[in-house]
Amino acid sequence: MSFQENRRNFINQFSLELKKLGFNKKRETSFYRKTDLGDIRISLGFEKAIYGFECSLGVGFRIDTLEEITGQYPINPYAKIRSSFSLDVGKLMGNQYKKWLIRTSDEKEVGDIFLAVSEKIGLPKLDVIEDVNGVMSEMIELVKLYGIPFLDKYAYSIESVFRLFTNDYGYLEKSIYLRNLLAKDLITLAFLINDKEIFEKLVEENKPIIRERFPFDIDNFDNLVLYLREKFEILGINN
């Protein structure tokens, strides 16, 4: 089978397993379960390899109101489907990114040659797996052990999302290259929890950083701040 056929078969079988956990909607390589705030999602990643293919597993969630607001500054055509947060399952396990290297029968001959040559020239040994069903079972177990508990902890309240974005999992440190996007998420979340004081503090902290590092986005940030201040005023929240 071709890479695309192997990929499609893996996705279809994985989808059947996730339906047992309530993830009954699918878009390409992501699987969804609706929540009151948006959805939670499990995602697969694929890369073609000389011995077959590589597969990764991520978890994430979407907060509709957050994306609807920030998706206007600037206009984002993907705002209706964008994930609010996603993380590789390896990170949830306290490790680095995790990949499964899957060996397929149609690539066995050339795969054998590649692996033999790699070992001969002293490259790190690759942990290549032939048992596709075993890989899928391991992934489902990781979804149960790490993915769903993580989503249960963070994806069902705005306060939990705000805590995740400000404190847990070193999110601020990891997002140094996306600080402009994170800043807009943070001030919007502060609005959604009706905390004007935290909102103004976050604006004060992040605006100089965006002006210095992301000058192309400062107007969007300023316009979002104005929009949210107007919303606070309408709600009668001034402190």
Side-chain angles (χ1 to χ4, degrees), residues 82-122:
R82 194 181 80 151
S83 175
S84 300
F85 184 85
S86 59
L87 199 65
D88 184 87
V89 72
K91 292 289 186 179
L92 292 179
M93 300 166 65
N95 301 316
Q96 297 301 311
Y97 294 103
K98 183 173 178 61
K99 281 188 177 182
W100 286 264
L101 314 182
I102 301 173
R103 190 174 182 178
T104 55
S105 57
D106 49 309
E107 302 290 353
K108 180 172 175 52
E109 184 174 348
V110 68
D112 285 345
I113 295 172
F114 171 78
L115 294 171
V117 170
S118 296
E119 185 174 354
K120 187 173 183 178
I121 64 177

Side-chain angles (χ1 to χ4, degrees), residues 14-126:
F14 196 73
S15 177
L16 292 176
E17 294 299 320
L18 281 182
K19 281 184 178 179
K20 300 173 185 177
L21 301 177
F23 292 85
N24 51 18
K25 291 189 176 182
K26 181 170 79 73
R27 184 185 298 116
E28 296 181 356
T29 60
S30 293
F31 311 87
Y32 302 84
R33 192 167 82 191
K34 293 295 292 180
T35 69
D36 290 342
L37 297 179
D39 64 58
I40 58 176
R41 49 187 68 181
I42 306 295
S43 300
L44 296 173
F46 292 91
E47 289 183 35
K48 186 176 182 180
I50 196 167
Y51 43 78
F53 63 95
E54 299 178 356
C55 192
S56 58
L57 175 67
V59 303
F61 58 82
R62 172 186 167 85
I63 306 300
D64 286 340
T65 309
L66 174 63
E67 300 307 323
E68 288 164 3
I69 294 174
T70 58
Q72 300 301 307
Y73 301 92
I75 298 293
N76 182 350
Y78 301 103
K80 291 185 178 181
I81 61 172
R82 194 181 80 151
S83 175
S84 300
F85 184 85
S86 59
L87 199 65
D88 184 87
V89 72
K91 292 289 186 179
L92 292 179
M93 300 166 65
N95 301 316
Q96 297 301 311
Y97 294 103
K98 183 173 178 61
K99 281 188 177 182
W100 286 264
L101 314 182
I102 301 173
R103 190 174 182 178
T104 55
S105 57
D106 49 309
E107 302 290 353
K108 180 172 175 52
E109 184 174 348
V110 68
D112 285 345
I113 295 172
F114 171 78
L115 294 171
V117 170
S118 296
E119 185 174 354
K120 187 173 183 178
I121 64 177
L123 293 177
K125 185 175 181 180
L126 298 175

Side-chain angles (χ1 to χ4, degrees), residues 224-235:
L224 175 59
V225 170
L226 289 174
Y227 170 80
L228 294 174
R229 281 178 176 155
E230 289 176 359
K231 288 294 186 181
F232 272 120
E233 188 173 343
I234 291 171
L235 293 171

Side-chain angles (χ1 to χ4, degrees), residues 209-228:
I209 296 172
I210 295 176
R211 183 186 291 114
E212 179 181 351
R213 300 181 188 173
F214 308 93
F216 61 88
D217 210 16
I218 188 64
D219 287 345
N220 292 313
F221 182 79
D222 285 344
N223 288 335
L224 175 59
V225 170
L226 289 174
Y227 170 80
L228 294 174

